[in-house]
Amino acid sequence: MSQKKWYQMSAEESLQQLMTDSGRGLTNKEAQIRRETVGDNALMEGKKISPVTLFLNQFKDFMVLVLMGATLISGLLGEYLDAITILVIILMNGVLGFIQEFRAERSLQALKELSAPMAKVIRDGNLVHVAAIELVPGDIIMLESGDRIPADIRWLETNGLYVEESALTGESVPVSKGVERLSGDELPVGDQRNLGFMGTMITRGTAQGVVVRTGMDTEMGKIADLIQNTEEMQTPLQHRLEQLGKILILVALGLTVMVVVAGLIHGQPAYGMFLAGVSLAVAAIPEGLPAIVTIALAMGVQRMIKRKAIVRKLPSVETLGCASVICSDKTGTLTQNKMTVTHLWLGGRLLEVSGEGYEPKGDISHEGKKLDPGREPMLQRFLKIAAYCNNAKLTEMRPQEAKGKKAKEEAAPTWSISGDPTEGALIVLSAKAGILPQAEEAARVREFPFDSERKRMSVIINDSGSRCVYAKGAPDMLIDQCSYLLWDNKVVPFTNTMKQKVLAANEGMAKSALRVLGLAYRELKPSDSCSSDSQAERNLVFVGLAGMIDPPRKEVREAIHKCKKAGIRTVMITGDHQTTAEAIAKQLGMIPTTGLVVNGQQLAAMTDEQLDAKAEQIYVFARVSPEHKLRIVKALQKKGHVVAMTGDGVNDAPAIKAADIGISMGITGTDVSKEASALILSDDNFATIVAAIEEGRGIYENIRKFIRYLLASNVGEILTMFLAMMAGMPLPLVPIQILWVNLVTDGLPAMALGVDQAEKDLMQHKPRSARENIFARRLGWKIISRGILIGLCTLGAFWITLRQNPGDPSHLVKAQTVTFATLVMAQLIHVFDCRSSRSIFHRNPLQNKYLVLAVLSSVVLLLGVVYIEALQPIFKTVNLNFQDWVLVLIAAAIPTFLMGIGSVMSGRSNKKGARYTSRPITR
């Protein structure tokens, strides 16, 4: 039954197919039999992972296993402080990872909560309330305004029925529903007007329907299944760290073995070389890396919260930084999700309406001249019809949480609409001119509700002692009921010529993606009878047209422009109509001259290969389903793009989860989309994404900075030991010194780099490739070149000090102390060089206060180890004199300043060359 195209059947055929009766419904016995066959009307969850298993899985990561090995080695060396530090780092990362993953798997639970708990069903000819979970195909259910639809149903009878389906289809306004059979083989969900879908809400009218699909067979169930079967992808950061961990372990073990072998060949004691080798192995693996990554991400998260972006998964911050495509839903994301009247057509004049949102502030103007409704009888009449032929309510809400008199005065009120969004737009329009229905219930005599057949609504109003019919509706349907037209403040016959003018104006507004309503009236005589809509809605006087739209957010155009400068493409994916979507996209500057617009039917007709070929040329996808959104995201990913998917509805959740990073809306977003996402915009503002991208890029660059610092320092340490062993020299550093350097210089300074300020041109570059190696953009060369210089200069200081008194055995301790101090100072100077992608001279070294304090702290610790007598026997150090420190500082400064001067000279040479190469070549 679930595979039938129910919208193609008539109501009678649906009842026959389901073997049920609209008057008596199913018997309780038959309902029980069917429930045993098809199962409960509930959304099923996939296999759950226990919290314990989820927590233990955090320790299967390759880098974590390497750190555990380092902990074991440190314990064997008796370096319990180092071992405890590593264990704390491992545990902290495990807890953070567990919390993030535990929350990420709650999408289906939030989806289940959308299902209605009870339903009104006809069983055995009686209307009864049953739990929604008990519904089966063939049940006859009754629904009214405010009810959430408990299953997929085929409408049998409707009375002015409108259903809010934006969470499922992306449609920005409630859609009318009817019972007529529909044609077409692949109608989008939003066009299946004779069906109702689980989880959507009835906003107006009453209806009777027959259940055709339950549980996982419903459209909501398909989305649940999509979420279950959508694999979450590893982030680029996870790939890079895994890659880095494998490289580090191989390099560390290889070089350590070489150092030990070289030392043994040159007659060094086996035990001493073993300890030195193990110390080097521990030092070569930067155990602070995961902790610094976590700290860098966490600090970035705090900055992002201040910029209205809430991060649910830490690695997603970095992933957003390399996003190359943002797939954005239209309704509520690019637009305000507030229907607003922007244009009026009255007596041949096109009027503009200013103002944003629901706040009743704005002007009505013609050709730039503000109009006064009090002096414009036609406009006054139009606005009164808009206000009185209306069931929406405009409410002002003042913030209650503001504390203190000044705070309450400064707190701006907010305005909200209760009722249909289209009627809300009209009530806001009239309120802008100061016209609001006073004592509406007393003034209104009767209402003839809107229905899908008439496509209009009318009310009878006592207006200043006389009765009037006020009507609004679809212009083409309303015109047929009008005999007169209000033109130049006079009532004139509604001739065919005049009708063509109205229809032309209607078409022009519709082409601008405006939703258009016509307004009309009739003054009733005391003898006029209006007991039915046909009696009331005749011989009307047509007044004018109102054009409304869900307008773009004012910040979005600039945000999209910034994305373009950053090399990021914005793609609109919406369930709304193609004309509306294309118009909004053009207003926002999203579509280039060669850009394409594709609708759901065209997309469904494409093969995956055809979609892959055109994916990078399409900027707007309109009238699409959740399955289409998944196809689009995957097609872009096949092209190598890092895809960010934004949205706020249930329909966006599968694509949000499948995307490299999912972004949901904090205010209008459903729980399902929030739980499936990695990033939530607390202000629902697309512009906030730009700020998040900037933070993401900055965090990734900071991670590269401390990787550069840590690895260059480790290369210097290993090279110092390796070259000394190869040259047959004594050990330049003892094991405890190696571990001390590793613990102190790799700690605070590296963490301070993790919160460094971003460089000014960060958002002027194209996004990096998701497949970019962590050592790309000459990072590998910088690590190796600086590391070699640090090693050579440190070894040089050792050799110079050792030669001053080669025969004195105690002088070896002084030489090792000088080597120790030189290595520490070289790394502490080098850390400032790592702040810039060019050289140490391109940035203010005092800008990062955390780094300055970290370096000063490390210097103080170094002086304590060298000069405190109680620590000297432990760390094998002696006092250094002034000449020793001169040697230490010169040797430590050479690597950074030599490379910095070279970089500056190279930059000047490039600029000089550019003066000549930039000239046009003429013949």
Side-chain angles (χ1 to χ4, degrees):
M1 287 186 288
S2 62
Q3 300 304 315
K4 298 292 183 181
K5 294 177 180 175
W6 296 101
Y7 63 83
Q8 294 177 328
M9 299 182 187
S10 66
E12 293 75 19
E13 288 172 336
S14 300
L15 291 170
Q16 291 173 7
Q17 182 71 29
L18 292 163
M19 294 181 289
T20 187
D21 180 82
S22 61
R24 292 193 54 80
L26 298 174
T27 64
N28 286 319
K29 184 178 180 180
E30 176 63 22
Q32 183 61 34
I33 293 171
R34 295 191 182 191
R35 186 179 177 191
E36 291 172 358
T37 303
V38 300
D40 290 339
N41 178 34
L43 302 179
M44 303 302 172
E45 294 187 21
K47 291 183 178 179
K48 287 187 176 181
I49 302 175
S50 71
V52 174
T53 304
L54 195 63
F55 181 71
L56 293 177
N57 285 344
Q58 306 303 314
F59 303 98
K60 293 181 179 179
D61 183 74
F62 180 80
M63 276 295 288
V64 174
L65 295 176
V66 170
L67 294 181
M68 287 180 175
T71 305
L72 179 62
I73 293 170
S74 298
L76 293 173
L77 281 172
E79 299 300 328
Y80 301 114
L81 180 61
D82 209 42
I84 291 171
T85 302
I86 299 172
L87 282 175
V88 170
I89 290 167
I90 293 172
L91 186 62
M92 181 178 69
N93 278 276
V95 170
L96 287 173
F98 166 75
I99 292 171
Q100 297 299 325
E101 289 193 25
F102 182 74
R103 289 191 46 138
E105 292 307 316
R106 290 170 53 195
S107 295
L108 285 166
Q109 186 60 38
L111 190 60
K112 287 178 70 177
E113 291 173 0
L114 283 176
S115 301
M118 298 296 291
K120 288 176 284 189
V121 184
I122 297 176
R123 293 265 178 93
D124 289 318
N126 299 314
L127 184 65
V128 295
H129 287 76
V130 301
I133 196 173
E134 298 177 11
L135 290 178
V136 295
D139 264 329
I140 306 298
I141 63 174
M142 310 298 292
L143 294 159
E144 60 186 15
S145 178
D147 288 344
R148 194 180 292 279
I149 299 177
D152 284 3
I153 60 178
R154 171 66 166 88
W155 300 115
L156 302 176
E157 294 179 14
T158 60
N159 181 20
L161 184 65
Y162 275 76
V163 180
E164 170 63 61
E165 295 181 335
S166 63
L168 184 66
T169 66
E171 183 74 50
S172 55
V173 295
V175 295
S176 64
K177 294 290 184 176
V179 300
E180 297 82 5
R181 175 170 28 192
L182 301 173
S183 59
D185 291 331
E186 297 294 338
L187 280 186
V189 170
D191 290 337
Q192 296 175 21
R193 298 301 176 93
N194 54 13
L195 296 182
F197 303 103
M198 174 191 273
T200 59
M201 181 74 75
I202 295 177
T203 61
R204 187 197 302 169
T206 59
Q208 182 189 60
V210 58
V211 174
V212 295
R213 293 184 291 248
T214 59
M216 296 299 286
D217 290 332
T218 63
E219 290 298 324
M220 191 73 74
K222 292 177 184 177
I223 295 175
D225 187 57
L226 287 171
I227 294 176
Q228 282 188 17
N229 294 299
T230 301
E231 294 182 2
E232 292 192 56
M233 304 179 68
Q234 265 197 321
T235 68
L237 177 61
Q238 290 168 325
H239 280 299
R240 303 298 165 261
L241 289 180
E242 188 173 339
Q243 181 185 42
L244 180 61
K246 292 176 180 178
I247 293 171
L248 288 178
I249 192 68
L250 293 175
V251 171
L253 292 177
L255 290 177
T256 299
V257 170
M258 291 176 67
V259 168
V260 173
V261 171
L264 293 174
I265 291 173
H266 288 87
Q268 294 290 339
Y271 178 71
M273 287 309 304
F274 172 75
L275 289 180
V278 172
S279 300
L280 268 181
V282 172
I285 301 172
E287 70 277 0
L289 182 60
I292 297 167
V293 169
T294 301
I295 290 169
L297 291 172
M299 293 296 290
V301 166
Q302 293 302 314
R303 292 194 296 269
M304 291 174 76
I305 288 174
K306 293 177 182 177
R307 300 176 80 167
K308 308 297 184 182
I310 301 169
V311 177
R312 294 185 62 252
K313 303 175 184 177
L314 285 180
S316 66
V317 181
E318 176 271 338
T319 314
L320 187 62
C322 61
S324 56
V325 176
I326 299 175
C327 294
S328 174
D329 187 42
K330 178 186 72 69
T331 305
T333 309
L334 297 171
T335 64
Q336 299 177 21
N337 202 17
K338 296 177 179 178
M339 290 298 289
T340 305
V341 175
T342 59
H343 291 83
L344 305 177
W345 186 89
L346 293 175
R349 297 186 301 171
L350 186 65
L351 311 182
E352 295 83 30
V353 183
S354 64
E356 293 184 355
Y358 293 145
E359 186 175 9
K361 288 184 179 180
D363 298 318
I364 301 172
S365 59
H366 175 58
E367 296 180 347
K369 183 180 179 181
K370 181 181 176 182
L371 301 181
D372 181 2
R375 298 182 178 181
E376 296 275 345
M378 287 178 61
L379 180 57
Q380 183 85 1
R381 175 74 74 173
F382 187 95
L383 295 172
K384 290 185 75 172
I385 298 170
Y388 281 90
C389 186
N390 203 314
N391 290 318
K393 297 286 192 303
L394 177 63
T395 307
E396 179 184 10
M397 296 181 294
R398 291 188 175 274
Q400 298 296 318
E401 63 275 8
K403 295 182 180 180
K405 183 178 179 181
K406 185 177 180 181
K408 288 183 179 180
E409 288 175 356
E410 293 177 351
T414 58
W415 296 82
S416 65
I417 288 292
S418 58
D420 185 87
T422 301
E423 293 192 329
L426 291 173
I427 205 78
V428 171
L429 168 70
S430 61
K432 287 177 180 177
I435 299 174
L436 282 170
Q438 303 296 326
E440 182 181 347
E441 296 303 324
R444 179 181 294 185
V445 177
R446 186 163 186 177
E447 174 187 350
F448 300 102
F450 201 100
D451 67 52
S452 57
E453 293 181 8
R454 290 165 40 245
K455 291 188 176 178
R456 57 184 177 269
M457 166 194 177
S458 59
V459 294
I460 300 174
I461 297 291
N462 275 328
D463 189 6
S464 303
S466 62
R467 292 188 307 153
C468 291
V469 175
Y470 287 163
K472 71 172 186 288
D476 54 341
M477 301 293 284
L478 188 62
I479 284 173
D480 293 339
Q481 309 303 314
C482 296
S483 302
Y484 305 95
L485 172 69
L486 201 57
W487 191 274
D488 288 338
N489 297 319
K490 297 177 181 178
V491 177
V492 300
F494 204 6
T495 64
N496 286 333
T497 302
M498 289 298 188
K499 287 183 180 180
Q500 290 304 315
K501 287 185 178 181
V502 173
L503 290 173
N506 175 45
E507 185 178 354
M509 295 171 80
K511 283 183 178 179
S512 300
L514 296 177
R515 178 182 173 89
V516 186
L517 286 180
L519 277 70
Y521 79 99
R522 176 163 68 102
E523 294 180 350
L524 297 176
K525 298 176 182 178
S527 59
D528 286 339
S529 173
C530 294
S531 58
S532 66
D533 57 69
S534 60
Q535 290 180 326
E537 297 165 357
R538 65 181 182 181
N539 297 325
L540 298 174
V541 180
F542 191 87
V543 180
L545 302 170
M548 60 192 72
I549 196 170
D550 179 13
R553 292 176 177 271
K554 59 183 180 181
E555 309 92 347
V556 169
R557 185 178 178 87
E558 177 62 25
I560 290 173
H561 178 66
K562 287 182 180 180
C563 286
K564 286 181 179 178
K565 290 175 66 177
I568 300 164
R569 188 160 67 97
T570 305
V571 176
M572 181 190 294
I573 305 179
T574 178
D576 216 337
H577 295 280
Q578 181 172 340
T579 305
T580 306
E582 187 172 357
I584 293 292
K586 286 180 178 177
Q587 287 183 44
L588 294 173
M590 288 177 59
I591 309 177
T593 53
T594 57
L596 301 177
V597 179
V598 171
N599 61 42
Q601 289 186 329
Q602 293 170 328
L603 181 59
M606 288 184 186
T607 63
D608 287 342
E609 292 73 21
Q610 290 172 328
L611 177 58
D612 292 345
K614 292 185 177 181
E616 294 186 317
Q617 284 78 49
I618 302 173
Y619 284 78
V620 175
F621 293 90
R623 216 68 181 146
V624 296
S625 68
E627 293 88 347
H628 290 152
K629 294 186 178 188
L630 268 178
R631 280 188 69 199
I632 295 163
V633 169
K634 290 182 177 179
L636 290 167
Q637 288 173 334
K638 285 180 185 176
K639 290 290 185 180
H641 288 290
V642 174
V643 181
M645 171 69 189
T646 73
D648 57 1
V650 175
N651 62 325
D652 299 318
I656 284 175
K657 192 169 183 181
D660 298 282
I661 176 164
I663 309 170
S664 64
M665 303 297 113
I667 299 173
T668 59
T670 59
D671 287 343
V672 180
S673 64
K674 291 176 186 177
E675 292 296 330
S677 68
L679 185 73
I680 301 172
L681 306 182
S682 62
D683 59 354
D684 284 16
N685 196 335
F686 182 88
T688 304
I689 298 173
V690 180
I693 288 172
E694 186 174 0
E695 289 293 346
R697 288 189 177 190
I699 288 167
Y700 185 78
E701 289 306 310
N702 285 349
I703 291 171
R704 280 170 50 91
K705 288 175 188 177
F706 61 66
I707 287 175
R708 172 182 168 185
Y709 169 66
L710 291 176
L711 297 192
S713 299
N714 290 351
V715 168
E717 294 170 21
I718 292 176
L719 202 59
T720 300
M721 298 290 288
F722 178 73
L723 292 178
M725 296 301 96
M726 294 299 292
M729 300 169 68
L731 276 175
L733 294 167
V734 296
I736 189 64
Q737 291 173 344
I738 295 173
L739 292 173
W740 192 94
V741 171
N742 176 57
L743 194 63
V744 175
T745 61
D746 288 5
L748 294 177
M751 289 184 182
L753 273 182
V755 294
D756 196 28
Q757 298 89 343
E759 296 189 65
K760 292 181 180 179
D761 60 350
L762 186 67
M763 291 296 287
Q764 304 299 318
H765 302 293
K766 290 184 178 180
R768 66 186 180 279
S769 169
R771 293 184 288 272
E772 178 186 278
N773 189 286
I774 194 74
F775 300 109
R777 290 177 278 150
R778 302 184 75 238
L779 183 65
W781 160 251
K782 291 174 182 177
I783 289 171
I784 293 171
S785 61
R786 270 64 164 186
I788 289 174
L789 282 175
I790 290 172
L792 289 175
C793 291
T794 302
L795 190 62
F798 175 66
W799 180 74
I800 290 171
T801 308
L802 198 61
R803 283 195 61 189
Q804 290 176 357
N805 197 353
D808 186 359
S810 64
H811 200 65
L812 175 61
V813 178
K814 183 175 183 179
Q816 289 173 334
T817 306
V818 168
T819 306
F820 175 51
T822 302
L823 185 60
V824 171
M825 293 305 300
Q827 293 182 15
L828 295 181
I829 294 172
H830 172 61
V831 75
F832 291 101
D833 186 34
C834 295
R835 294 187 63 236
S836 172
S837 57
R838 287 167 286 187
S839 77
I840 192 172
F841 302 111
H842 285 88
R843 299 195 71 182
N844 179 4
L846 302 179
Q847 183 183 11
N848 187 337
K849 296 178 182 178
Y850 296 106
L851 183 60
V852 173
L853 289 173
V855 168
L856 289 175
S857 300
S858 297
V859 170
V860 170
L861 290 172
L862 171 64
L863 294 175
V865 168
V866 171
Y867 289 105
I868 296 175
E869 292 185 6
L871 298 177
Q872 288 178 341
I874 299 174
F875 289 94
K876 307 295 189 291
T877 58
V878 295
N879 292 343
L880 298 181
N881 57 36
F882 178 77
Q883 290 180 334
D884 296 328
W885 279 110
V886 170
L887 174 62
V888 165
L889 294 177
I890 291 175
I894 288 174
T896 295
F897 287 95
L898 182 65
M899 297 303 291
I901 292 170
S903 177
V904 171
M905 297 300 292
S906 175
R908 288 179 179 176
S909 176
N910 290 338
K911 287 182 180 180
K912 186 177 180 181
R915 294 176 186 175
Y916 297 96
T917 57
S918 63
R919 292 178 182 176
I921 299 174
T922 58
R923 299 184 180 219

